[in-house]
């Protein structure tokens, strides 16, 4: 069995705990054993998974991999700690708040001979797979992708582009490398409203 720990118990972290405690039959998850979860808040246990300290998770010889589900701002530091401790890492997107930090983390994982995987579960859904089939072999002439959400705390999530990075990975996976041609941001603090508009161009323009 491959020992794991979940770090962070927001929506994503709780889903990880649930899935690790009740793996799908014949799935790779059946070979994973959840040794506990790490959180700044005190829970004791969740769904029979016990809370352990960060220090114990890093030191444990039984834990081989960490699932990081904390706010964006802390991803980089947490990844570094677990790689330093010789653990494999799966992290919810984005891996870090800068490309420079992300490249450093990839290099660190290679040096440590550890897997560093950025999870984007949407790319594995049946709906997305169907979308990919529909655009295969077609030329993109023009398109718009619009999505909405609540206003995020930039101190925790980073610049607004990071809240949309999942959609950007959709576009790159579907249409290849993109170049930013323009970007604007509109803010109405009195209405707690923020909008970011970005124009991209594909390699064949």
């Amino acid at each position: 069995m491959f020992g794991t720990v979940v770090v962070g118990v927001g929506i994503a972290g709780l889903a990880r705990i649930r899935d690790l405690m009740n793996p799908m039959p014949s799935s790779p998850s059946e070979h994973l054993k959840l040794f506990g979860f790490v959180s700044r808040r005190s829970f004791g246990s969740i769904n029979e998974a016990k809370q352990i300290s960060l220090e114990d998770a890093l030191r444990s010889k039984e834990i081989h991999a960490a699932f990081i589900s904390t706010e964006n701002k802390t991803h980089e530091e947490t990844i570094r700690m677990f790689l330093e401790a010789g653990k494999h890492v799966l992290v919810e997107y984005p891996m870090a708040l800068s490309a420079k930090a992300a490249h450093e983390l990839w290099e660190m994982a290679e040096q440590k001979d550890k897997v560093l995987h950025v999870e984007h579960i949407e790319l594995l859904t049946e709906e997305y797979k169907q979308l990919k089939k529909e655009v295969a072999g077609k030329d993109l002439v023009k398109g718009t992708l619009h999505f909405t959400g609540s206003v995020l705390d930039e101190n925790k999530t980073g610049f607004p582009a990071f809240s949309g990075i999942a959609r950007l990975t959709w576009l790159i996976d579907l249409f290849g490398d993109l170049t930013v041609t323009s970007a604007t941001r509109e803010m109405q603090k009195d209405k707690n409203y923020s909008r970011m508009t970005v124009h991209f161009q594909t390699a064949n323009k």
Side-chain angles (χ1 to χ4, degrees), residues 153-169:
D153 180 350
E154 290 186 31
N155 290 325
K156 293 181 179 178
T157 61
F159 188 68
F162 282 99
S163 62
I165 206 163
R167 305 307 183 270
L168 179 57
T169 56

Side-chain angles (χ1 to χ4, degrees), residues 144-155:
T144 301
L145 182 63
H146 177 85
F147 63 99
T148 60
S150 58
V151 178
L152 300 173
D153 180 350
E154 290 186 31
N155 290 325

Side-chain angles (χ1 to χ4, degrees), residues 3 9 28-29 62 68 83 102 118 125 129 132 161 174 178 194 201:
V9 288
S29 296
E62 294 180 299
I68 299 174
L83 287 178
V118 184
T125 62
K129 289 175 184 175
K132 194 163 184 178
L174 291 171
L178 303 171
S194 175
Q201 197 168 66

Side-chain angles (χ1 to χ4, degrees), residues 69-82:
S69 305
T70 56
E71 61 266 18
N72 298 347
K73 183 181 177 182
T74 64
H75 287 183
E76 179 185 347
E77 180 186 3
T78 312
I79 291 169
R80 286 184 192 279
M81 285 192 289
F82 278 95

Side-chain angles (χ1 to χ4, degrees), residues 55-138:
E55 293 73 21
D56 286 347
L58 292 167
R59 278 197 304 258
S60 174
K61 300 283 191 239
E62 294 180 299
I63 294 174
H64 308 104
F67 292 76
I68 299 174
S69 305
T70 56
E71 61 266 18
N72 298 347
K73 183 181 177 182
T74 64
H75 287 183
E76 179 185 347
E77 180 186 3
T78 312
I79 291 169
R80 286 184 192 279
M81 285 192 289
F82 278 95
L83 287 178
E84 285 285 1
K87 318 287 187 191
H88 301 288
V89 176
L90 178 146
V91 61
E92 305 291 340
Y93 61 82
M95 178 165 48
L97 297 186
S98 76
K100 180 176 180 287
H103 286 295
E104 288 174 359
L105 292 170
W106 286 125
E107 289 171 11
M108 185 177 179
E110 284 188 14
Q111 289 166 4
K112 298 280 185 182
D113 197 27
K114 297 299 170 188
V115 173
L116 172 53
H117 172 69
V118 184
E119 182 78 326
H120 185 0
I121 199 73
E122 290 175 357
L123 298 184
L124 304 176
T125 62
E126 290 306 315
E127 294 88 345
Y128 182 80
K129 289 175 184 175
Q130 183 59 38
L131 175 62
K132 194 163 184 178
K133 281 182 190 173
E134 288 175 15
V135 303
K138 296 178 182 175

